[in-house]
Amino acid sequence: MLCLLLMAVPCRAQALPDSILLTSGEWPPFYSASLPGGGFGNRVISESFALAGISVDFMFLPWRRAMSMADNGPPAGSAGWLPLEGRDRRFLFSDPVFSSDRVFFYRRDTSFTWQTLNDIRDLRVGITLGSAEEFPFEDAMAGGKGKLDMAVSYVAGMKMLIEGRVDVYACNKSVGLFVLARRIDSGADRIAYDPRPIFTETNHLILSRRLPYAQELMDRFNAGLRKLRESGRYDRIRRVYPGLN
């Protein structure tokens, strides 16, 4: 009889926390410990959760470690990720926090133009360490004379371009412009970008599937994000961070 009574008692879902910890990395103006609110993306995330009655703290780490800690804990998730194949096995992805373009930066003293990715197959192409899987370059450059050169940071990538060690540097447009304006001491005026997008990306909050309340937490976040957009607050936040495309 006792066993039957216990079986009849409904299982109570684990209550949502009133505060969570998220990881993030440096990708200004979207994500940065040095910017108000942790950057545009983090500010949108924290205010969206606030509308659901949940406060957020951010832990800034190198990007690979940020994802690893979000996967294994204790952080609940991480800010700033593209929905690449396989990631959804470990994480829930939010509605897009924002969209932005990846473009080629080049030196003004060169005549760089491109129509298809085959046009870069003979060039030295700079990308930032950890972003290779995000760019569709491997097949495009196969059989050509060019190569991919990895930069340890976005500042290092821009310096490689300024110094002529690469022909073009593939980077998010807003991140590249921020680095040129705020992080490069000399030579920034020698750099331009081609407005043709390599691709347009959507950027997301991810929550670990190990959390028993992950789906409910994500639903609350997405609802808060919709309210933020509908109220006009999203656009007001965006205006705080000049240069966003």
Side-chain angles (χ1 to χ4, degrees), residues 71-118:
D71 190 13
N72 299 305
S78 187
W81 297 94
L82 278 66
L84 299 184
E85 184 178 356
R87 287 179 176 174
D88 60 349
R89 290 195 294 268
R90 295 175 293 154
F91 299 100
L92 297 177
F93 277 75
S94 72
D95 293 342
V97 176
F98 60 85
S99 62
S100 59
D101 293 337
R102 300 284 179 104
V103 299
F104 288 113
F105 287 81
Y106 64 95
R107 292 186 307 282
R108 294 181 187 275
D109 61 1
T110 65
S111 57
F112 173 74
T113 59
W114 72 287
Q115 297 296 320
T116 72
L117 288 178
N118 286 333

Side-chain angles (χ1 to χ4, degrees), residues 163-210:
E163 294 167 3
R165 290 183 283 142
V166 293
D167 298 309
V168 293
Y169 178 51
C171 181
N172 179 278
K173 174 186 169 183
S174 295
V175 174
L177 292 175
F178 181 94
V179 168
L180 288 170
R182 306 281 187 92
R183 304 286 170 83
I184 299 295
D185 294 329
S186 63
D189 58 341
R190 297 168 54 195
I191 304 301
Y193 70 89
D194 190 296
R196 180 187 298 274
I198 303 168
F199 64 90
T200 297
E201 63 185 283
T202 57
N203 199 274
H204 304 257
L205 164 74
I206 58 175
L207 295 176
S208 175
R209 291 185 181 273
R210 66 183 160 75

Side-chain angles (χ1 to χ4, degrees), residues 124-137:
R124 297 167 298 168
V125 179
I127 57 175
T128 308
L129 187 67
S131 66
E133 63 181 344
E134 299 171 355
F135 286 104
F137 292 158

